[in-house]
Amino acid sequence: MEWATQTDTKVRTETGTESGPRGPGCSLRHFACEQNLLSRPDGSASFLQGDTSVLAGVYGPAEVKVSKEIFNKATLEVILRPKIGLPGVAEKTRERLIRNTCEAVVLGALHPRTSITVVLQVVSDAGSLLACCLNATCMALVDAGVPMQALFCGVTCTLDSDGALVLDPTAKQEKEARAVLTFALDSVERKLLMSTTKGLYSNAEFHQCLAAAQAASQHVFRFYRESLQRRYSKS
Amino acid sequence: MKETPLSNCERRFLLRAIEEKKRLDGRQTYDYRNVKISFGTDYGCCIVELGKTRVLGQVSCELVSPKLNRATEGILFFNLELSQMAAPAFEPGRQSDLLVKLNRLLERCLRNSKCIDTESLCVVAGEKVWQIRVDLHLLNHDGNIIDAASIAAIVALCHFRRPDVSVQGDEVTLYTPEERDPVPLSIHHMPICVSFAFFQQGTYLLVDPNEREERVMDGLLVIAMNKHREICTIQSSGGIMLLKDQVLRCSKIAGVKVAEITELIQKALENDQKVRKEGGKFGFAESIANQRITAFKMEKAPIDTSDVEEKAEGIIAEAEPPAEVVSKPVLWTPGTAQIGEGIENSWGNLEDSEKEEEEGGDDEAIILDSIKMETGEVSDIGNQDAPIVLSDSEEEEMIILEPDKNPKKIRTQTVNTKQEKAPSKKPVKKRKKKRAAN
């Protein structure tokens, strides 16, 4: 079984459309992040996972419309803009998932009657888009200095017809997969903040994917830590 | 979120600086900000930075049936979006005046100047043509959106490759990028917009105004020109009167700027093509400046997932097995069945309350009736005496809020108040009239 999965991933990497070859076994694509690249928003970040790229801008805590005002906490708003055409149902569901994740970690009670607006722009979609959106959101919130009780990251994994697990899939891998699972995890206890799945999988497979996502999240959080260390270093 | 207004002292400071031929960002009067062009991994995707103004351009294509009056021409579609990311004042999904103006100007600059050969986009005359869609997203607004958008649009169009198509008889074959290399669009020339801001009724002129300068300017002149010094569009807005010499001088400056920008675009396109051909790394990841302190990259990381199965098994073993529920559908009446354990229906209580409400509703109906009549007459009386209307409306609210009160009592009360405030005979007559009308 183990052997079979390994050869499978190898075959997939050879046919993948990625510019660089993926190593054997599960791996995350190369990551890149740039913070504070836009001058107008309070915080902004561009997050790249392989060829998938998302740009996030955060305004807040700022003035809120009276109709949207919540008297004991900040109003969180997430806007996701597709690259081509107008936003549709798919974008709305993603917006909601991201907003729910943010609401779980952002300490909105510290800024009552304000608005925190996250605007996300898809720059290129090459798989694991929701995970990349979540990562970009987190980095932008950090850049804006919004108080949070923990950082969060998104990890996507797929199961193909043989039950082989692939982390951070490309668009092609997502298309061929039997099930696509996306998790949002917090940085303190690696607890699950949000999960969304598509396709057919067993209970055991779900826990496998979750465990793999938790393992992958350590790398993402290390990436966060190192990039912030670099940012706040003196040199 | 509302735009922060510019304070008077800021405005005065800016205008005085312009009078002294100084600009806040240290540019000279005719200086253009730095233009940076970077390409994405897909064809037809680019980000153009004009100083801090940033525009993302993406071209896509689709096979559609042509317009009836232009059977052999492809369709060009431009869509500039002002994302809230660019500035907090931009609301999502709203067609503001600025947005309409910019979109129209872009269309005039790129479609009406016939810079793209639309006839080459025809596949089968009258049946299938390519629709080329240019999506432009403003990511950061620091003035001069139109110049940045026009550069992004033309760069994205030049960079774009559409799938190859072949027609044999009636059969149309669409080739994937693997089968045949996608083909570029045929572009005749590259029109580029150059903006000029005028201050103090045209006394002072600045090229490429930034956001602050745009806020204090009196008028704006946009000239779209290609490198052959052919003017494609010219638009003056803001209501300033310009002299012929001024327009000519602007067109001369535009010619110089357009030549510079065109050269830059061509260099960027060549560079990207070379990298793609050599199989090097391309895309936005490569355009992130490595030396920046805010940027960080990580190579791909292998993740040990060997223990995942054991972990999952452990969790499942630890977890309590779900309580087994054997569902036996119980047929109450034909067409109504129940599955699951027979839990006490919590809706039963609701029915009682509904009944109560119904009872209350009857009372209300009576009351409402009386109110209707009363308001009818009051509106007539109200013309003579306004305070009565006010007092009456209070009564209305009181009645609706407390339906338990004895309606008759209220009625008498209201009538009493009426009698106190209004002549006794009048309302009765009017009520009769109302009924007759109904």
Side-chain angles (χ1 to χ4, degrees):
Chain A
M1 186 64 199
E2 186 101 28
W3 177 81
T5 55
Q6 279 202 354
T7 49
D8 249 274
T9 44
K10 256 183 192 168
V11 170
R12 237 180 276 110
T13 53
E14 275 156 20
T15 54
T17 49
E18 275 300 288
S19 43
R22 312 264 305 257
C26 280
S27 69
L28 298 173
R29 293 176 286 181
H30 63 266
F31 276 33
C33 175
E34 187 176 356
Q35 279 186 312
N36 208 359
L37 68 166
L38 303 180
S39 66
R40 294 300 291 270
D42 297 319
S44 57
S46 148
F47 206 92
L48 290 99
Q49 276 176 249
D51 289 340
T52 307
S53 167
V54 174
L55 186 65
V58 172
Y59 286 97
E63 177 194 13
V64 65
K65 264 192 202 161
V66 181
S67 58
K68 289 179 183 167
E69 188 180 283
I70 303 173
F71 72 95
N72 61 354
K73 62 174 183 171
T75 310
L76 206 73
E77 222 181 326
V78 176
I79 298 164
L80 177 61
R81 304 199 63 89
K83 201 177 177 195
I84 298 166
L86 297 168
V89 178
E91 278 73 33
K92 288 278 164 229
T93 45
R94 286 205 182 106
E95 278 176 10
R96 209 183 165 78
L97 291 168
I98 297 163
R99 202 188 68 211
N100 289 349
T101 311
C102 292
E103 263 171 5
V105 288
V106 170
L107 298 169
L110 294 179
H111 300 282
R113 299 169 65 191
T114 60
S115 76
I116 297 171
T117 313
V118 182
V119 191
L120 294 156
Q121 171 72 54
V122 178
V123 178
S124 65
D125 179 11
S128 316
L129 183 65
L130 183 57
C132 194
C133 285
L134 285 162
N135 293 336
T137 308
C138 184
M139 288 309 256
L141 284 169
V142 168
D143 186 37
V146 174
M148 293 191 279
Q149 57 180 341
L151 298 182
F152 61 93
C153 78
V155 181
T156 302
C157 48
T158 57
L159 293 161
D160 63 11
S161 45
D162 318 324
L165 196 149
V166 180
L167 277 166
D168 197 15
T170 59
K172 204 180 168 209
Q173 286 168 333
E174 266 187 4
K175 217 179 198 177
E176 289 165 356
R178 170 167 57 103
V180 182
L181 301 94
T182 303
F183 303 103
L185 300 154
D186 83 301
S187 62
V188 179
E189 292 171 273
R190 311 258 183 282
K191 275 189 177 161
L192 189 62
L193 292 169
M194 185 275 295
S195 89
T196 174
T197 66
K198 196 179 87 183
L200 208 67
Y201 55 88
S202 70
N203 190 9
E205 278 170 337
F206 176 83
H207 284 287
Q208 278 174 25
C209 287
L210 184 53
Q214 278 169 331
S217 74
Q218 285 184 344
H219 284 263
V220 182
F221 289 128
R222 205 180 63 206
F223 173 76
Y224 282 0
R225 183 174 290 278
E226 281 171 17
S227 74
L228 288 172
Q229 245 167 18
R230 180 186 158 97
R231 194 177 156 190
Y232 293 109
S233 64
K234 278 181 185 167
S235 56
Chain B
M1 224 162 83
K2 275 176 223 143
E3 185 103 39
T4 325
L6 205 63
S7 64
N8 283 339
C9 51
E10 265 180 299
R11 186 179 296 271
R12 272 201 300 274
F13 173 69
L14 277 163
L15 286 171
R16 196 170 300 161
I18 290 160
E19 277 170 28
E20 288 170 19
K21 309 259 177 218
K22 282 173 187 156
R23 294 174 83 168
L24 279 188
D25 43 14
R27 281 186 287 164
Q28 294 297 312
T29 319
Y30 299 146
D31 284 357
Y32 216 74
R33 283 176 288 181
N34 278 337
V35 180
K36 191 187 160 203
I37 301 166
S38 43
F39 297 98
T41 43
D42 320 339
Y43 281 120
C45 178
C46 69
I47 287 182
V48 169
E49 287 168 54
L50 176 63
K52 281 175 186 166
T53 301
R54 226 179 246 244
V55 176
L56 166 71
Q58 171 71 56
V59 179
S60 51
C61 64
E62 198 184 351
L63 276 174
V64 294
S65 48
K67 286 178 183 161
L68 287 173
N69 51 352
R70 295 191 195 278
T72 59
E73 284 186 18
I75 301 164
L76 263 176
F77 186 76
F78 295 94
N79 181 37
L80 172 67
E81 296 259 351
L82 300 179
S83 165
Q84 208 184 5
M85 192 189 291
F90 295 145
E91 281 175 45
R94 206 173 131 252
Q95 286 276 325
S96 62
D97 286 350
L98 176 69
L99 182 57
V100 173
K101 190 184 121 188
L102 291 173
N103 264 320
R104 185 73 200 113
L105 196 52
L106 261 182
E107 278 185 359
R108 269 170 44 194
C109 166
L110 289 152
R111 190 203 282 153
N112 300 8
S113 68
K114 307 240 189 271
C115 66
I116 289 171
D117 181 15
T118 45
E119 296 216 337
S120 73
L121 297 171
C122 177
V123 180
V124 181
E127 282 181 31
K128 278 276 170 283
V129 294
W130 284 109
Q131 185 192 48
I132 305 293
R133 189 192 164 101
V134 186
D135 280 284
L136 298 162
H137 298 275
L138 183 67
L139 304 176
N140 199 40
H141 175 31
D142 192 35
N144 210 354
I145 301 169
I146 187 66
D147 288 18
S150 81
I151 297 170
I154 198 71
V155 169
L157 283 166
C158 289
H159 190 250
F160 183 64
R161 303 282 185 275
R162 67 171 167 84
D164 201 3
V165 189
S166 75
V167 185
Q168 283 178 325
D170 290 344
E171 210 169 287
V172 180
T173 328
L174 196 73
Y175 297 98
T176 58
E178 285 82 35
E179 285 168 344
R180 272 196 198 179
D181 280 340
V183 285
L185 306 171
S186 68
I187 291 165
H188 296 315
H189 61 97
M190 289 156 68
I192 289 161
C193 292
V194 179
S195 302
F196 301 88
F198 290 92
F199 303 86
Q200 313 269 340
Q201 267 66 46
T203 324
Y204 301 100
L205 172 146
L206 291 182
V207 179
D208 180 25
N210 65 21
E211 202 252 342
R212 284 291 145 106
E213 288 161 352
E214 274 187 356
R215 283 205 196 187
V216 295
M217 73 184 173
D218 288 335
L220 184 73
L221 181 74
V222 182
I223 300 180
M225 205 187 253
N226 61 21
K227 70 170 177 190
H228 312 298
R229 288 172 169 268
E230 294 163 328
I231 291 176
C232 303
T233 305
I234 186 158
Q235 175 172 301
S236 159
S237 57
I240 42 152
M241 263 80 86
L242 293 176
L243 295 169
K244 192 179 80 182
D245 294 350
Q246 283 177 307
V247 178
L248 284 174
R249 198 174 60 178
C250 287
S251 73
K252 254 181 213 159
I253 301 165
V256 177
K257 297 297 169 201
V258 166
E260 282 172 15
I261 296 165
T262 312
E263 202 179 321
L264 185 89
I265 291 173
Q266 265 155 356
K267 222 179 259 173
L269 282 166
E270 271 168 32
N271 198 25
D272 182 70
Q273 213 143 22
K274 207 174 83 188
V275 173
R276 274 173 201 262
K277 211 180 245 177
E278 286 167 359
K281 284 181 179 174
F282 54 89
F284 290 127
E286 299 315 304
S287 61
I288 289 183
N290 237 344
Q291 68 278 6
R292 256 188 218 165
I293 206 166
T294 49
F296 189 68
K297 288 182 192 177
M298 184 178 77
E299 282 313 301
K300 63 173 194 292
I303 291 186
D304 185 24
T305 51
S306 52
D307 60 339
V308 161
E309 277 178 45
E310 287 115 68
K311 267 190 193 170
E313 274 168 24
I315 290 167
I316 293 166
E318 274 175 38
E320 282 177 28
E324 289 214 356
V325 179
V326 185
S327 56
K328 270 189 207 154
V330 185
L331 199 70
W332 292 111
T333 50
T336 311
Q338 183 188 331
I339 305 173
E341 291 157 78
I343 305 167
E344 195 79 1
N345 189 0
S346 61
W347 289 65
N349 302 332
L350 235 157
E351 269 173 32
D352 294 338
S353 63
E354 250 171 49
K355 262 183 200 164
E356 275 169 26
E357 267 175 35
E358 264 173 40
E359 280 164 19
D362 285 347
D363 294 350
E364 249 178 26
I366 298 163
I367 298 158
L368 280 174
D369 223 347
S370 65
I371 292 165
K372 258 185 204 167
M373 288 182 286
E374 267 154 30
T375 45
E377 72 201 28
V378 164
S379 60
D380 288 350
I381 301 162
N383 294 336
Q384 303 161 359
D385 207 348
I388 295 176
V389 183
L390 276 175
S391 70
D392 234 36
S393 68
E394 266 169 35
E395 275 170 15
E396 266 175 53
E397 277 173 7
M398 196 178 76
I399 292 159
I400 292 165
L401 282 172
E402 297 169 33
D404 294 351
K405 269 195 180 174
N406 191 5
K408 274 186 184 172
K409 211 176 177 182
I410 294 162
R411 201 169 182 177
T412 49
Q413 271 181 0
T414 52
V415 171
N416 285 343
T417 49
K418 265 301 105 46
Q419 282 168 344
E420 278 167 25
K421 284 170 191 169
S424 58
K425 278 250 168 178
K426 223 179 176 180
V428 182
K429 268 189 186 171
K430 289 236 163 147
R431 202 175 291 172
K432 273 179 186 168
K433 266 188 190 169
K434 262 269 145 83
R435 271 186 190 159
N438 286 341

